[in-house]
Amino acid sequence: MQAFFLEAEGQGGQRLCIHHDAQGPEKRGQILYLHPFAEEMNKSRRMAALQARAMAAAGYEVLQIDLLGCGDSSGDFGDASWEAWVADAVQACRWLKAQPQPAPLWIWGLRAGCLLAVDVAKRLPSAPNLLLVQPPASGKTVLQQFLRLKVAGGMLDGSGKGLMAQLRQALSQGQSVEIAGYRLSAPLSTGLEAANLNPIPTPTDQQARLVWLELASQQPSEWSPVAAQTQERWREAGWQLHAEQLAGPAFWQTTEIEEAPALIDGAVRGLLQQASGADQRAYRPLEHCA
């Protein structure tokens, strides 16, 4: 594992990256990780690190990047825009493909990172493979949930009445708003709200792969109607889909830092199954927490 700063093209500043070399005699693929939105990113750091190590141990080269204004990268959160984040991710994909022994490219998104992964995939010369973990229904849903944090706080001190409308109006006028310690800019909110999981058509001679994973606190159940319909649209667009529900906590929003071992193993198993076309249920879980 190696940490370094990537000089951002066009936007200036640096982006913190963590690079995991693929282990073993064969590099199976290259993976770019796109983190969740705002505080969910911090809650997910441990799981992202454990997942990246497991992927590297299975033969995948992994690059984690802190986007503009996030983590230890340049800028403040309020400086970020959706387009700037897309540009950061596209540059990170180019960096990966410039490494020795390039291999099939995967973009791994977690929560809002799934929406970003789809937008990034549209900007690349050829569609990458996608690993989407707990993808939200839409960017509009993510934004609404984030704005509700401010409204919930306002309810406690009596200032919540009409607050949602005020936030919406401020953003529509190009102003930034403060929510839960984050300054949300109008360009970021606009881009996030417009993001969606609409499938990307693939050329007839290209077999693009999609792994879709979700966590459930209890036994896996039927997919939600939105998830089932979205998955079917991706299949119809020519994507080879592996979808699985796994047991585990919603670690991106829990009070304490949580782990979901079943997700770590399920993600690696899904990648291997898509690479070989074989059933990887016999995949031996790695020792993640050593």
Side-chain angles (χ1 to χ4, degrees):
M1 183 182 72
Q2 177 185 12
F4 67 95
F5 283 99
L6 181 66
E7 293 290 337
E9 299 174 357
Q11 311 159 77
Q14 298 177 318
R15 308 291 179 263
L16 176 68
C17 295
I18 299 177
H19 179 243
H20 303 257
D21 272 326
Q23 301 173 28
E26 176 188 3
K27 184 188 294 187
R28 299 178 183 272
Q30 295 173 299
I31 302 174
L32 172 66
Y33 169 64
L34 299 179
H35 57 69
F37 189 76
E39 191 60 24
E40 289 189 3
M41 177 194 73
N42 295 323
K43 293 287 187 180
S44 303
R45 279 202 181 276
R46 175 161 176 77
M47 268 296 295
L50 294 174
Q51 185 74 80
R53 292 177 204 166
M55 290 170 170
Y60 291 87
E61 180 181 15
V62 184
L63 182 67
Q64 299 173 256
I65 182 172
D66 284 356
L67 301 167
L68 171 63
C70 300
D72 292 314
S73 288
S74 298
D76 296 322
F77 191 82
D79 301 326
S81 69
W82 192 257
E83 281 301 310
W85 284 356
V86 170
D88 283 350
V90 168
Q91 183 180 352
C93 288
R94 291 201 299 266
W95 185 91
L96 269 176
K97 300 310 292 183
Q99 300 311 297
Q101 299 179 330
L105 176 64
W106 287 81
I107 302 181
W108 157 32
L110 174 59
R111 297 282 294 145
C114 299
L115 299 167
L116 189 63
V118 172
D119 276 357
V120 171
K122 297 174 184 176
R123 311 292 180 90
L124 299 178
S126 58
N129 302 307
L130 295 173
L131 169 60
L132 305 183
V133 178
Q134 207 70 29
S138 66
K140 186 175 182 178
T141 301
V142 176
L143 179 61
Q144 187 77 358
Q145 292 172 344
F146 189 61
L147 296 179
R148 283 175 181 163
L149 295 177
K150 183 79 170 182
V151 175
M155 292 297 183
L156 297 177
D157 61 18
S159 64
K161 185 177 181 179
L163 188 52
M164 180 65 78
Q166 295 172 27
L167 294 172
R168 289 283 188 178
Q169 182 178 10
L171 291 170
S172 68
Q173 294 174 348
Q175 302 172 25
S176 297
V177 296
E178 289 282 345
I179 300 175
Y182 291 87
R183 182 166 61 90
L184 176 66
S185 71
L188 180 54
S189 67
T190 300
L192 173 60
E193 189 167 31
N196 57 64
L197 292 177
N198 290 342
I200 305 166
T202 60
T204 54
D205 61 344
Q206 180 182 352
Q207 180 64 73
R209 294 169 169 80
L210 168 61
V211 175
W212 179 306
L213 302 176
E214 292 190 11
L215 285 174
S217 58
Q218 300 177 348
Q219 291 296 323
S221 58
E222 292 185 0
W223 293 99
S224 70
V226 172
Q229 292 167 10
T230 305
Q231 291 169 11
E232 186 57 32
R233 291 202 303 269
W234 281 86
R235 288 191 186 94
E236 292 172 351
W239 288 70
Q240 180 175 305
L241 176 67
H242 169 86
E244 187 175 359
Q245 293 181 353
L246 304 158
F251 56 85
W252 57 89
Q253 64 182 17
T254 53
T255 303
E256 302 295 331
I257 300 302
E258 297 272 7
E259 297 175 10
L263 174 61
I264 297 173
D265 296 325
V268 174
R269 188 172 61 243
L271 293 173
L272 294 175
Q273 180 175 335
Q274 289 286 40
S276 66
D279 189 352
Q280 293 294 328
R281 296 187 185 278
Y283 159 69
R284 183 178 181 181
L286 300 161
E287 194 65 39
H288 308 297
C289 304

